[in-house]
Amino acid sequence: VHPMNRKASFVGTPQKDGFFVDSFLGASLPLSISSVLPVISKMDSALFRHLLRFVVEYLKGRDLKEEAFAPPEGIDEPTFDTVTAALLLIVRKAVRARATQETIKMDLVNFKFPAAVATDIAAAINSSREAIEAQASTSMVTFPTLTDLQWRVDV
């Protein structure tokens, strides 16, 4: 089949009028997430939930002990780092886009995430959204602003 004759694959949320709204992750899956997808699909659900809890607690600004940054049993350090980075990206983008729980779940399933994983991620984001947004607003870098100005005109 000629490449121009193939149907385009759209990733996003279908609307009633037939159009698609882009996913909260963008039109295509970031490489840091797509490379981790096979690992997440094979991962034990208890281990995955532990990593997701770690990421959510980190984004809430909780004071984590140094031991929390060590990979848990059953996962090596490079895998721990890549899965954690992918989960950080997913949670940050979902919170920034203010995506609903159903949108997050549907978009992740459209990107071939297992349904159980998509449900866990969407539920974790939904339950912790306010705390993550509050932490992000207090810790973001801001530029200096002028708060008070009194203009004096000498005649």
Side-chain angles (χ1 to χ4, degrees):
V1 175
H2 191 272
M4 296 301 288
N5 293 336
R6 280 192 261 155
K7 287 188 174 183
S9 63
F10 296 101
V11 178
T13 307
Q15 300 296 308
K16 292 178 185 175
D17 55 6
F19 290 100
F20 281 77
V21 176
D22 280 343
S23 165
F24 70 93
L25 290 169
S28 63
L29 195 61
L31 185 61
S32 61
I33 297 173
S34 62
S35 64
V36 170
L37 191 55
V39 175
I40 289 176
S41 298
K42 296 176 187 173
M43 190 175 287
D44 178 47
S45 64
L47 179 60
F48 176 76
R49 287 184 181 128
H50 174 75
L51 294 177
L52 184 59
R53 256 191 317 275
F54 167 73
V55 167
V56 169
E57 292 299 316
Y58 174 76
L59 288 175
K60 284 181 181 179
R62 299 282 162 83
D63 191 22
L64 300 174
K65 296 177 182 165
E66 189 173 329
E67 297 85 35
F69 292 96
E73 288 292 321
I75 189 170
D76 58 342
E77 191 168 345
T79 306
F80 171 75
D81 292 343
T82 55
V83 171
T84 304
L87 287 174
L88 272 169
L89 184 61
I90 290 170
V91 174
R92 281 184 177 154
K93 284 188 173 249
V95 170
R96 176 175 284 168
R98 297 185 188 271
T100 63
Q101 185 173 0
E102 189 59 37
T103 302
I104 294 168
K105 183 179 175 184
M106 192 180 329
D107 287 350
L108 290 175
V109 169
N110 286 343
F111 278 123
K112 308 292 188 245
F113 277 82
V117 169
T119 303
D120 287 344
I121 293 173
I125 292 171
N126 191 46
S127 66
S128 303
R129 179 184 305 274
E130 292 174 6
I132 293 171
E133 286 177 352
Q135 174 61 25
S137 67
T138 59
S139 65
M140 69 182 194
V141 177
T142 58
F143 293 107
T145 59
L146 187 61
T147 57
D148 187 26
L149 174 69
Q150 293 183 357
W151 193 269
R152 181 177 159 198
V153 179
D154 290 338
V155 179

